[in-house]
Amino acid sequence: MLATPEFVARLMRVAQLWHYVLIARVLAFFAFAFFPGVAGFLARPSLWLVMAAGLGCDLVLTILGQLSRVRPPPSGRWLRRGVGACFAFLIAGTMLHSAAMFAATAAHDGRLYFDAFSAIKLGSILVAAAAAAIVRPAFFAFAGAMALGGAIGIASWPFGVAGLVFLGLLIVMLREDVRHQRRATHVSRRTISEQQRALGLMRDFERAGRGWFWETDRYGHLVYISPPVAAKLGIPQSDLFGRPFTDLIRKRVGNDESEERTLGFSLSSRTPFNELTVQAAVSGEERWWSISGHPISNELGNFQGFRGSGTDLTDKKRSEREINQLARYDTLTGLANRLHITDLLERALRNHMGQAQPCALLLMDLDRFKAVNDTLGHPVGDQLLQQVAGRLTQIVGDKGQVGRLGGDEFQIVLPQIVQPEKLAGIANAIILSLAKPFAIEGEQVRIGSSIGIAVSEGQGVSSSALVRNADLALYAAKDAGRGVYRFYADAMHNQASERKAIEDALRDALARDELALLYQPIVDVKREYVTGFEALIRWRREGGEVVSPSKFIPIAEESNLIVPIGEWIIRTACATIARLGPGYRVAVNVSPRQFANEKLPATILNAVAAAGIEPGQLELEITEGVFLDESPENLEMFQKLKRTGVRLALDDFGTGYSALGYLKKAPFDKIKIDQSFVLGAVDRSSMNAAIISSIVGLATALDMETTAEGVETHDDLALVRALGCSHVQGYIYGRPMELGEVLALLREGGGAVVARGFKSAREPRMRTFRRIQVESGGYHYEAIVRNLSSRGALIEGLWNVPEGTTLTLELTPDVRLDAEARWSAGNRVGVRFVEAIDMTVFAGPPAQPRAFKQRAYRAA
């Protein structure tokens, strides 16, 4: 009760009145001194009453003096000490008063009685004042009282003057001390105000959630913690007091446990710590703190505990986790990104000891994904990628890790799996799963996938080498028609090395003058007159090695070397046109990469101007692959090329993926019918003739010329002429030739040419030496098959067989064929089978001839 702040505050206010009590004490003495009647009056009832009044004044003076010295307000411990001191001074004052009373009673002289009483009474005043620690006021009070006592006792006026002087000094000193006490009180109040302000700021800091404070005793038990922390922990603040501070920290296993150990070590070793990150023991949520603390000691240097602060790191941890998520995972699909999947692959190939581990890598591309983006838009493409990621994750499961490298390319790491049958099963499951339709925004989207597989059986293959091998296998899967998987083989690396060598050599081919153009005639079929040529590139390397265009052109496309090579072709073709003269055209092929080059129109204009030819003499053959991207830029390029004055031809018509709508947008002058339609068109069972007829009709309606490619036989020529093709290009009118041969051809015939070649196309023949039995007109003969095709054969051993003779050929014991003699020369006969045969039947060894009776040949 004594230690309550309200009671202490009241005591402090009362203690400021001790000056006035001292003045009243001295004035009472003066009353006794100047008015003896008063003393006698007061002494008549009882001397003990006077003594009690004096003792009470001394006690009050002592208590007030002691209280006034306390800065800041006293605690309960001080009050206990202060009460003891007051009782000690009270005993001393009682003894002095008792001595004064006994001395006064023993004295018979009134003057002696008063002097003794005054002297001892002034001594009690001095003791009380000294107890109140007011040395100067006590000195002046004692001196003044003694002077006044002497003046009264011996009736000396100097003593009276001195007493008055000392009394005045006492009043002045008391006045100054009162002012000093007021200033000290003001400073104390200001100090208390600053402490309250600091305490208020601390409370606001805690309530705002910007931080919190804690304090422990010397045993590490909490004596204070901010209320917001207790609220977040879900434990009343009073229940936290007395608990170990480490109980508030979650104990975790693994490397993170070091944080909890660091805190316990710092508390036990009494060493300061700063910004230690720990996880709070909060149920139901994850909360992180950063705590700092330092040991505290008392005035004697004894350790008293720890005091510190803390801040909440939960939001920062979440932000760091999100940043880590962005750095390691793909934002669209949630799969591991390129950086993370590469790290996982390296860890799968090496254990913690650095030893090689078995691992497989699957590299996957989506087929027809670009078409989805172009037709349905990129948002649909994004949703498609998300669904693809979901299916991949479901198939792979916990057997491995799926990552997205970017675009439609995915990578799958399968640690400890190297069995081909298991990898083939996973790859096949992926292909079948992704082949199923995807439902996106009410649309059914169908795509496919191709997969390359590379395996490291623990032989120390690096991650980069494994990725390269998987990429080569993926390339092989795409070449195989897509929608399949392929395992890496060493031959793929050899092919890749060959491709790299070809690419490196191709970069220097122009500078070394290794490239050349050959020209194949394009003939007007009605007049059989050469109207132009197609420029075909050839590459003859140093040493005479000839590299096929089918091998180096795709490499030039992939490496973008086709652009400078294409510019060289255009300039060379224009120079050739200048030498051919007017009336002839030269066609050059333009690849999609060249077409996308914005400098193409300027290149053409510069080449035409440099050669001094008409722009219409140069013809650009553009494949349908360009129309896979029917963008405004493509149509604008068509218009720019058309404005240059050159002719435009649509090459390989009917083999691409585009619709016919582009024919009304792109200003073509000619349609080239692909040789795949010409080949076999004369076969009555083939639909090629009908397709050629349709293309010719379409071109005629659009006022375009047509050129049939790959015409090699007279039958083919007669067919395309009958179907209305305006031009023909093929071996029947000439193979690709050098410029000198072209000039000689034009000089000799003036442009007129004659068709030369086989009447009809010959099927592939198999050379053989097989003894067979031949039956004709009831007779059997032994013969030898020299040449065999699915439709006929060349037979030796039969003499002078008339054309049209019916024969039965026993090629094997189980195969008998009916045939007809088409021609005969000496002992050789060319026969034609009534029905086509399967050539694979005759891949085995020839049958042994059976014994039969030789009979003379009798003509039918």
mmCIF file of all heavy atoms in Angstrom, residues 11-26:
data_model
loop_
_atom_site.group_PDB
_atom_site.id
_atom_site.type_symbol
_atom_site.label_atom_id
_atom_site.label_comp_id
_atom_site.label_asym_id
_atom_site.label_seq_id
_atom_site.Cartn_x
_atom_site.Cartn_y
_atom_site.Cartn_z
ATOM 1 N N LEU A 11 3.036 11.913 -0.834
ATOM 2 C CA LEU A 11 4.128 12.139 0.095
ATOM 3 C C LEU A 11 5.105 13.169 -0.428
ATOM 4 O O LEU A 11 5.621 14.015 0.323
ATOM 5 C CB LEU A 11 4.859 10.820 0.389
ATOM 6 C CG LEU A 11 4.144 9.828 1.320
ATOM 7 C CD1 LEU A 11 5.000 8.586 1.494
ATOM 8 C CD2 LEU A 11 3.846 10.469 2.675
ATOM 9 N N MET A 12 5.395 13.116 -1.706
ATOM 10 C CA MET A 12 6.355 14.049 -2.301
ATOM 11 C C MET A 12 5.826 15.466 -2.252
ATOM 12 O O MET A 12 6.587 16.422 -2.055
ATOM 13 C CB MET A 12 6.666 13.643 -3.753
ATOM 14 C CG MET A 12 7.382 12.304 -3.882
ATOM 15 S SD MET A 12 8.902 12.232 -2.909
ATOM 16 C CE MET A 12 9.829 13.521 -3.688
ATOM 17 N N ARG A 13 4.527 15.606 -2.453
ATOM 18 C CA ARG A 13 3.972 16.968 -2.382
ATOM 19 C C ARG A 13 4.005 17.508 -0.935
ATOM 20 O O ARG A 13 4.297 18.680 -0.707
ATOM 21 C CB ARG A 13 2.535 16.961 -2.906
ATOM 22 C CG ARG A 13 2.454 16.838 -4.427
ATOM 23 C CD ARG A 13 1.060 17.154 -4.922
ATOM 24 N NE ARG A 13 0.082 16.159 -4.489
ATOM 25 C CZ ARG A 13 -0.231 15.065 -5.167
ATOM 26 N NH1 ARG A 13 0.389 14.813 -6.310
ATOM 27 N NH2 ARG A 13 -1.132 14.220 -4.712
ATOM 28 N N VAL A 14 3.732 16.644 0.022
ATOM 29 C CA VAL A 14 3.767 17.076 1.428
ATOM 30 C C VAL A 14 5.189 17.402 1.869
ATOM 31 O O VAL A 14 5.450 18.318 2.659
ATOM 32 C CB VAL A 14 3.144 15.994 2.332
ATOM 33 C CG1 VAL A 14 3.316 16.332 3.812
ATOM 34 C CG2 VAL A 14 1.667 15.827 2.006
ATOM 35 N N ALA A 15 6.197 16.642 1.317
ATOM 36 C CA ALA A 15 7.592 16.838 1.723
ATOM 37 C C ALA A 15 8.103 18.223 1.373
ATOM 38 O O ALA A 15 9.091 18.689 1.956
ATOM 39 C CB ALA A 15 8.475 15.781 1.058
ATOM 40 N N GLN A 16 7.468 18.899 0.423
ATOM 41 C CA GLN A 16 7.926 20.226 0.062
ATOM 42 C C GLN A 16 7.624 21.252 1.172
ATOM 43 O O GLN A 16 8.110 22.390 1.123
ATOM 44 C CB GLN A 16 7.246 20.680 -1.253
ATOM 45 C CG GLN A 16 7.393 19.700 -2.402
ATOM 46 C CD GLN A 16 8.833 19.375 -2.714
ATOM 47 O OE1 GLN A 16 9.689 20.267 -2.690
ATOM 48 N NE2 GLN A 16 9.111 18.091 -2.949
ATOM 49 N N LEU A 17 6.884 20.868 2.217
ATOM 50 C CA LEU A 17 6.506 21.799 3.287
ATOM 51 C C LEU A 17 7.473 21.793 4.481
ATOM 52 O O LEU A 17 7.244 22.461 5.489
ATOM 53 C CB LEU A 17 5.101 21.452 3.826
ATOM 54 C CG LEU A 17 3.978 21.438 2.788
ATOM 55 C CD1 LEU A 17 2.680 20.981 3.439
ATOM 56 C CD2 LEU A 17 3.800 22.831 2.186
ATOM 57 N N TRP A 18 8.597 21.048 4.359
ATOM 58 C CA TRP A 18 9.489 20.930 5.512
ATOM 59 C C TRP A 18 10.117 22.263 5.873
ATOM 60 O O TRP A 18 10.448 22.508 7.045
ATOM 61 C CB TRP A 18 10.569 19.885 5.248
ATOM 62 C CG TRP A 18 11.596 20.296 4.214
ATOM 63 C CD1 TRP A 18 11.525 20.107 2.900
ATOM 64 C CD2 TRP A 18 12.820 20.956 4.479
ATOM 65 N NE1 TRP A 18 12.626 20.610 2.272
ATOM 66 C CE2 TRP A 18 13.451 21.138 3.231
ATOM 67 C CE3 TRP A 18 13.473 21.425 5.645
ATOM 68 C CZ2 TRP A 18 14.678 21.769 3.107
ATOM 69 C CZ3 TRP A 18 14.689 22.033 5.515
ATOM 70 C CH2 TRP A 18 15.299 22.200 4.225
ATOM 71 N N HIS A 19 10.285 23.152 4.891
ATOM 72 C CA HIS A 19 10.848 24.476 5.214
ATOM 73 C C HIS A 19 9.961 25.234 6.197
ATOM 74 O O HIS A 19 10.439 25.835 7.166
ATOM 75 C CB HIS A 19 10.994 25.314 3.926
ATOM 76 C CG HIS A 19 11.655 24.592 2.798
ATOM 77 N ND1 HIS A 19 10.967 23.794 1.910
ATOM 78 C CD2 HIS A 19 12.956 24.537 2.425
ATOM 79 C CE1 HIS A 19 11.813 23.306 1.026
ATOM 80 N NE2 HIS A 19 13.040 23.730 1.318
ATOM 81 N N TYR A 20 8.670 25.136 5.892
ATOM 82 C CA TYR A 20 7.736 25.877 6.758
ATOM 83 C C TYR A 20 7.651 25.269 8.169
ATOM 84 O O TYR A 20 7.465 25.963 9.172
ATOM 85 C CB TYR A 20 6.355 25.918 6.111
ATOM 86 C CG TYR A 20 6.392 26.454 4.712
ATOM 87 C CD1 TYR A 20 6.269 25.610 3.620
ATOM 88 C CD2 TYR A 20 6.579 27.821 4.487
ATOM 89 C CE1 TYR A 20 6.312 26.100 2.331
ATOM 90 C CE2 TYR A 20 6.634 28.318 3.190
ATOM 91 C CZ TYR A 20 6.499 27.453 2.120
ATOM 92 O OH TYR A 20 6.547 27.951 0.848
ATOM 93 N N VAL A 21 7.802 23.994 8.279
ATOM 94 C CA VAL A 21 7.803 23.348 9.589
ATOM 95 C C VAL A 21 9.012 23.808 10.401
ATOM 96 O O VAL A 21 8.931 24.067 11.604
ATOM 97 C CB VAL A 21 7.800 21.824 9.428
ATOM 98 C CG1 VAL A 21 7.942 21.126 10.775
ATOM 99 C CG2 VAL A 21 6.520 21.374 8.727
ATOM 100 N N LEU A 22 10.183 23.916 9.720
ATOM 101 C CA LEU A 22 11.381 24.379 10.407
ATOM 102 C C LEU A 22 11.190 25.818 10.911
ATOM 103 O O LEU A 22 11.562 26.154 12.052
ATOM 104 C CB LEU A 22 12.586 24.292 9.468
ATOM 105 C CG LEU A 22 13.924 24.772 10.048
ATOM 106 C CD1 LEU A 22 14.294 23.937 11.276
ATOM 107 C CD2 LEU A 22 15.015 24.692 8.996
ATOM 108 N N ILE A 23 10.608 26.680 10.047
ATOM 109 C CA ILE A 23 10.364 28.071 10.475
ATOM 110 C C ILE A 23 9.431 28.092 11.677
ATOM 111 O O ILE A 23 9.633 28.824 12.664
ATOM 112 C CB ILE A 23 9.803 28.897 9.303
ATOM 113 C CG1 ILE A 23 10.874 29.030 8.204
ATOM 114 C CG2 ILE A 23 9.327 30.256 9.768
ATOM 115 C CD1 ILE A 23 10.347 29.735 6.967
ATOM 116 N N ALA A 24 8.375 27.274 11.638
ATOM 117 C CA ALA A 24 7.435 27.238 12.776
ATOM 118 C C ALA A 24 8.128 26.748 14.042
ATOM 119 O O ALA A 24 7.867 27.220 15.152
ATOM 120 C CB ALA A 24 6.254 26.311 12.418
ATOM 121 N N ARG A 25 9.071 25.842 13.884
ATOM 122 C CA ARG A 25 9.818 25.310 15.019
ATOM 123 C C ARG A 25 10.652 26.408 15.678
ATOM 124 O O ARG A 25 10.679 26.553 16.920
ATOM 125 C CB ARG A 25 10.750 24.199 14.510
ATOM 126 C CG ARG A 25 11.380 23.371 15.613
ATOM 127 C CD ARG A 25 10.394 22.298 16.078
ATOM 128 N NE ARG A 25 11.095 21.301 16.880
ATOM 129 C CZ ARG A 25 11.439 21.464 18.148
ATOM 130 N NH1 ARG A 25 11.145 22.565 18.786
ATOM 131 N NH2 ARG A 25 12.049 20.512 18.814
ATOM 132 N N VAL A 26 11.333 27.207 14.855
ATOM 133 C CA VAL A 26 12.174 28.288 15.395
ATOM 134 C C VAL A 26 11.300 29.383 16.030
ATOM 135 O O VAL A 26 11.610 29.921 17.103
ATOM 136 C CB VAL A 26 13.068 28.859 14.295
ATOM 137 C CG1 VAL A 26 13.829 30.094 14.791
ATOM 138 C CG2 VAL A 26 14.025 27.796 13.807
#
